[in-house]
Amino acid sequence: MEQAKVLKALAAVMFLITAASFSVVADAEKREQTCVKKNFRTASKTTVTIGDVPNHEVSQEMSVADMEFSNPDFKVKDEWTYIHSDTIDGSGTHSGYFMDTHIDGSTDYGAFKGAVKTTVKADGSWEASWEGTYQYLGGSGKFKNLKGSGKYKGKASSTEPALEQCRETVEY
């Protein structure tokens, strides 16, 4: 039942993303900022093995993470991410949508795409790194007319938790 609520919320976000793409931003100030994403938690994940080549998988995942931005206006409580991945041996592509909820109740949302590379050592330990680009498509409250884009890089391993960093330019 909880998953149904989250899916309905994501459907609403996708509708808002489409609607926001037609809005116009006037006299917005461009701002450079950085962010760090950590404490990743998976809310749901479905993986299917394709079978055309060994270890080819596609997956759909909803996750939540904590965000910290260099810009004091961006006080994000959490970020929900809807991710589609297509990998062979843990390496491949990913794309999806995100929605950040700020402490004041306003939101921002956008889309991303990128690549992931995973290596496994003889002892079974692993390391993964990923990078990509994203685009803000809008928001609510003080971020109603938010536009912007950025780049992200992340890493995780069998001994270290996931950590992602970003650099972006935004207008609102």
Side-chain angles (χ1 to χ4, degrees), residues 16-147:
L16 291 172
I17 288 170
T18 303
S21 66
F22 296 104
S23 65
V24 176
V25 176
D27 300 325
E29 177 186 340
K30 285 190 177 184
R31 301 165 192 211
E32 301 287 327
Q33 58 190 40
T34 60
C35 72
V36 175
K37 187 189 305 188
K38 56 188 174 182
N39 194 22
F40 292 78
R41 292 145 349 250
T42 300
S44 70
K45 184 173 183 176
T46 302
T47 301
V48 176
T49 301
I50 301 301
D52 56 342
V53 296
N55 302 317
H56 184 190
E57 297 179 335
V58 294
S59 66
Q60 302 271 338
E61 179 178 355
M62 288 186 344
S63 67
V64 64
D66 300 333
M67 303 280 294
E68 294 177 11
F69 285 84
S70 61
N71 178 350
D73 274 352
F74 271 67
K75 293 185 183 192
V76 173
K77 181 171 63 171
D78 57 37
E79 178 179 82
W80 280 90
T81 308
Y82 177 77
I83 308 161
H84 174 80
S85 299
D86 185 344
T87 61
I88 298 173
D89 290 325
S91 297
T93 61
H94 60 258
S95 62
Y97 296 93
F98 62 88
M99 183 173 85
D100 300 329
T101 303
H102 295 256
I103 290 176
D104 69 358
S106 57
T107 61
D108 64 67
Y109 47 85
F112 64 91
K113 62 181 174 179
V116 60
K117 180 177 173 93
T118 302
T119 56
V120 179
K121 297 178 182 175
D123 66 1
S125 63
W126 58 269
E127 294 178 358
S129 62
W130 60 91
E131 62 182 62
T133 60
Y134 58 95
Q135 181 175 28
Y136 284 104
L137 301 171
S140 68
K142 66 181 169 184
F143 302 111
K144 180 180 178 185
N145 295 316
L146 178 67
K147 298 288 181 197

